[in-house]
Amino acid sequence: MLNHGNDSSAFFGVPCHNYHLINDVLVSSARSRSTAKGVQLHGYIVKSGLFLIPLIANNLINFYSKSQLPLDSHRAFEETHQKSLTTWSSIISCFAQNELPWKSLDFLRKMMAGNLRPDDRVLPSAAKSCAILCRSDIGRSVHCLSMKTGYESDVFVGSSLVDMYGKCGEIVCARKVFDAMPQRNVVTWSAMIYGYSQMGENEEALLMFKEALLDNLEVNDHSFSSVISVCANSTLLELGRQVQGLCIKSSFDSSSFVGSSLVSLYSKCGVLEGAYQAFHETPVKNLGIWNAMLKACAQHSHVQQVIELFKKMKRSGMKPNFITFLNVLNACSHAGLVDEGRYYFDLMKEEYRIEPTDKHYASLVDMLARAGKLQEALEVIKNMPIDPTESVWGALLTGCTLHKNTELAAFAADKVFELGPVSSGMHISLSNAYAADGRFEDAARARKLLRDRGEKKETGLSWVEERNKVHTFAAGERRHERSKEIYEKLAELGEEMEKAGYVADTSFVLRKVDGDEKNQSIRYHSERLAIAFGLITFPADRAIRVIKNLRVCGDCHNAIKFMSVCTGRVIIVRDNNRFHRFEGGKCSCNDYW
């Protein structure tokens, strides 16, 4: 507590003219996020006139920045009489760190208008702002500035440019900057690995990581996090576990960044128990790992755990963000919990003052439409304060297809096409809506529109990992080296399934063909080939994990339930929306997906 008694020159029992103490306390308050102490100290600094000292003014700006109070940083900046390059650097960095990129770039412009040249502290903040905005065009101007000021060879500036280009999807530019750098550090390598992983160039990301290790670079938790994310996106569970082993050896296993990536790895590979373990073993949990665990539970249909986790997160003092609520809404949508979903949607707006994005509205529309509340879903779209996007109308279209409302499906599709060029998936969704209703000529017309644009329907693929090797299957193909065994296994299993009561539902064959061809077509869908491969490859006590790039069809969903009964195996299928865990003839989604 400050002493304002007779000895006004005392602070914490030490003479206040020793402004080094003031600086030390400010820095300590920033590191410990002691906002109350820092604010109290700010008042004392103003009263004593110490804010005239540039070093104290700069530390005040940094204190508020690290306390996530950028507007107070701005106030401290304006109160500073002598604004040095360091002062400008502090405020520009503050806005970048607190995700106010436009203000950061605006203050860079103001600084340069005052004839101050950006240095190796200002340029990385400007590059970071461009990365947040995903504006590589502005980023190139920052790159040019670094060349004009002679900082292009600086390791910190170069690393920030690599990071900026990577996050803007300009991976070739990122690599050019990386290759031209005379010196690289762990941040540079991590930025490059992250850039490749974000672009889906997983092999390049893994090669970069291997090269970094061969160069004896001491990689950090961000490097490990990026590589584990690559393994997660490629569903390379065994390789991910090996990288996890490296994390443990390097003592990075307690990092919240690594923990978050491990949660995603195990979740995306269908090992939810591994995700739980990684979550619980991370001692300090940041918002990222909470969101990763919420998403994992949502995708695996553990809806009650999502709600409990959300409550536990609030009790821990962690403030949810827009991603948190998106995960909770998706969980409610997957389980058909309409009332709960509406509650969390309203909570996000009213209590946390978070404005819903198009993704939140898409999730709400999806929730209502899947529950058969199509008119309510349409009303939500009509009353949106922002323009509906393709994903919002697509959510309504999916619900219309499920409930065979082709009239409203066509209306939704028309609205999407009014937006301009749309994804091929939208044409396919409309075609499937018509075909499901038996309107095969209309379905063919929708597909023709797609062909006229020179696009093709995405091929349905399923894959299984075996000893770091991925085996990929397409419907009806026989190119796999063990195709003969796979088809024999399916024939054998098909007989057992029919005895158990399975009857193929050929209504899910969305083409106008005769009955026999429909039966043959549906019998050899890609996920069934992948499951058969798992049955002839993996030991009986091992769960079969299959990844599929499209939504699993209704007949295959039913067939896999019979497969789990006839084989006594646990079969986990991840489609493009969620996980399905089949065991003993039941699915974790409770037939709601």
Side-chain angles (χ1 to χ4, degrees):
M1 183 174 176
L2 292 176
N3 181 1
H4 293 298
N6 295 328
D7 186 7
S8 61
S9 64
F11 175 72
F12 289 82
V14 181
C16 74
H17 64 266
N18 187 351
Y19 73 91
H20 292 294
L21 171 66
I22 308 294
N23 275 317
D24 290 344
V25 176
L26 267 178
V27 171
S28 172
S29 299
R31 285 175 181 164
S32 62
R33 304 293 195 271
S34 301
T35 307
K37 184 192 288 185
V39 170
Q40 186 184 30
L41 184 56
H42 185 182
Y44 181 80
I45 288 168
V46 171
K47 286 180 181 178
S48 62
L50 289 172
F51 65 91
L52 295 172
I53 301 172
L55 182 60
I56 288 181
N58 297 339
N59 281 331
L60 262 177
I61 294 169
N62 291 331
F63 158 70
Y64 282 120
S65 174
K66 290 180 179 177
S67 300
Q68 298 180 321
L69 297 168
L71 297 182
D72 290 301
S73 281
H74 187 193
R75 183 161 57 89
F77 173 83
E78 294 298 341
E79 289 173 356
T80 306
H81 293 272
Q82 294 181 338
K83 296 178 176 65
S84 65
L85 180 58
T86 304
T87 315
W88 283 97
S89 172
S90 297
I91 194 65
I92 290 168
S93 171
C94 163
F95 288 134
Q97 294 297 330
N98 285 278
E99 299 198 357
L100 293 170
W102 282 120
K103 288 189 77 69
S104 178
L105 294 171
D106 184 46
F107 271 69
L108 170 62
R109 181 185 58 78
K110 289 177 180 177
M111 184 193 85
M112 293 178 65
N115 292 322
L116 284 172
R117 289 158 59 90
D119 63 4
D120 56 342
R121 289 170 293 178
V122 173
L123 290 166
S125 296
K128 178 181 176 69
S129 296
C130 297
I132 295 169
L133 293 166
C134 220
R135 290 290 299 269
S136 58
D137 53 336
I138 304 175
R140 284 190 176 88
S141 298
V142 175
H143 191 175
C144 289
L145 263 177
S146 72
M147 296 173 73
K148 286 179 181 178
T149 52
Y151 285 107
E152 76 274 15
S153 60
D154 179 84
V155 68
F156 299 106
V157 174
S159 298
S160 69
L161 291 171
V162 171
D163 183 64
M164 180 273 295
Y165 282 123
K167 287 177 178 174
C168 291
E170 302 272 0
I171 199 67
V172 174
C173 294
R175 188 60 194 256
K176 283 181 180 177
V177 175
F178 178 87
D179 289 338
M181 289 177 67
Q183 181 187 358
R184 307 182 191 105
N185 62 13
V186 64
V187 177
T188 324
W189 284 90
S190 297
M192 199 67 236
I193 293 167
Y194 180 82
Y196 278 127
S197 68
Q198 286 293 101
M199 293 297 293
E201 297 189 26
N202 297 324
E203 286 187 20
E204 286 292 338
L206 292 172
L207 282 171
M208 287 289 292
F209 182 67
K210 184 178 179 181
E211 193 177 333
L213 293 177
L214 290 173
D215 270 10
N216 293 318
L217 184 77
E218 289 188 9
V219 292
N220 62 12
D221 53 344
H222 292 281
S223 311
F224 281 120
S225 176
S226 294
V227 174
I228 293 168
S229 294
V230 168
C231 297
N233 295 334
S234 306
T235 61
L236 295 171
L237 179 59
E238 293 308 315
L239 183 58
R241 281 174 169 156
Q242 291 172 27
V243 177
Q244 183 182 8
L246 282 175
C247 289
I248 295 169
K249 287 181 181 178
S250 308
S251 300
F252 284 118
D253 53 311
S254 60
S255 162
S256 56
F257 297 105
V258 170
S260 178
S261 296
L262 286 171
V263 168
S264 295
L265 168 73
Y266 283 110
S267 170
K268 288 181 178 180
C269 294
V271 190
L272 190 59
E273 57 272 21
Y276 275 122
Q277 184 175 344
F279 177 78
H280 291 306
E281 289 180 353
T282 303
V284 180
K285 296 174 177 62
N286 62 6
L287 184 57
I289 195 169
W290 282 102
N291 283 341
M293 197 65 236
L294 285 166
K295 184 177 182 179
C297 291
Q299 289 185 326
H300 284 264
S301 304
H302 287 214
V303 183
Q304 289 307 315
Q305 283 88 332
V306 169
I307 293 171
E308 286 303 314
L309 266 175
F310 182 81
K311 292 176 181 176
K312 189 182 291 186
M313 177 182 164
K314 284 179 65 178
R315 288 196 298 270
S316 74
M318 186 66 66
K319 186 178 178 182
N321 66 356
F322 72 100
I323 297 172
T324 312
F325 281 103
L326 186 60
N327 290 329
V328 176
L329 288 171
N330 286 340
C332 294
S333 178
H334 288 168
L337 301 177
V338 175
D339 291 339
E340 290 84 346
R342 283 189 178 280
Y343 165 76
Y344 285 107
F345 190 85
D346 292 338
L347 184 73
M348 172 179 66
K349 292 194 299 179
E350 295 167 9
E351 183 175 329
Y352 290 95
R353 297 288 188 266
I354 297 173
E355 284 300 314
T357 67
D358 63 310
K359 292 180 180 178
H360 296 96
Y361 279 105
S363 185
L364 181 61
V365 169
D366 182 68
M367 184 193 311
L368 293 166
R370 286 182 186 275
K373 300 178 183 292
L374 299 176
Q375 288 304 318
E376 285 186 44
L378 184 58
E379 283 302 309
V380 168
I381 296 174
K382 287 179 178 178
N383 295 321
M384 282 174 60
I386 56 176
D387 292 332
T389 58
E390 179 182 328
S391 62
V392 174
W393 286 113
L396 179 62
L397 180 54
T398 299
C400 292
T401 304
L402 288 172
H403 296 284
K404 299 186 174 7
N405 189 329
T406 51
E407 184 179 345
L408 189 53
F411 171 77
D414 288 340
K415 288 294 183 181
V416 173
F417 296 142
E418 286 175 11
L419 299 175
V422 298
S423 66
S424 59
M426 193 55 61
H427 289 274
I428 297 303
S429 294
L430 180 58
S431 171
N432 290 348
Y434 284 136
D437 197 45
R439 296 166 62 179
F440 293 106
E441 289 183 7
D442 289 330
R445 194 156 38 248
R447 288 175 185 268
K448 184 177 182 298
L449 278 172
L450 187 64
R451 289 196 299 274
D452 291 344
R453 288 175 54 197
E455 295 185 22
K456 294 180 180 179
K457 176 188 176 183
E458 185 180 3
T459 303
L461 299 173
S462 296
W463 56 94
V464 179
E465 182 195 0
E466 180 221 5
R467 295 177 184 173
N468 282 341
K469 182 179 179 182
V470 176
H471 299 260
T472 306
F473 302 90
E477 74 165 8
R478 295 175 181 266
R479 290 180 295 177
H480 194 274
E481 58 188 14
R482 301 186 68 182
S483 279
K484 187 173 183 294
E485 296 171 78
I486 289 169
Y487 278 84
E488 285 175 354
K489 187 65 182 178
L490 279 178
E492 172 196 321
L493 190 55
E495 291 179 9
E496 292 181 43
M497 289 162 59
E498 286 174 7
K499 289 177 184 176
Y502 167 70
V503 178
D505 184 351
T506 57
S507 68
F508 290 97
V509 179
L510 302 177
R511 289 181 294 138
K512 194 174 182 180
V513 293
D514 62 41
D516 287 340
E517 189 177 343
K518 281 188 174 185
N519 265 312
Q520 288 301 312
S521 172
I522 209 163
R523 191 183 298 269
Y524 302 125
H525 276 185
S526 63
E527 55 266 55
R528 301 198 195 194
L529 299 178
I531 291 168
F533 171 78
L535 289 170
I536 63 174
T537 304
F538 303 135
D541 60 347
R542 175 174 167 179
I544 297 169
R545 296 182 175 88
V546 175
I547 312 298
K548 184 175 170 65
N549 63 334
L550 302 178
R551 183 178 185 270
V552 64
C553 83
D555 182 69
C556 283
H557 189 272
N558 188 41
I560 300 169
K561 287 196 287 185
F562 278 93
M563 287 179 175
S564 71
V565 171
C566 295
T567 62
R569 303 288 287 268
V570 173
I571 303 170
I572 300 168
V573 178
R574 189 188 100 189
D575 65 11
N576 65 346
N577 192 42
R578 66 190 298 174
F579 277 89
H580 302 264
R581 181 188 177 93
F582 299 91
E583 187 172 7
K586 294 180 179 180
C587 178
S588 58
C589 75
N590 294 317
D591 299 335
Y592 190 94
W593 85 102

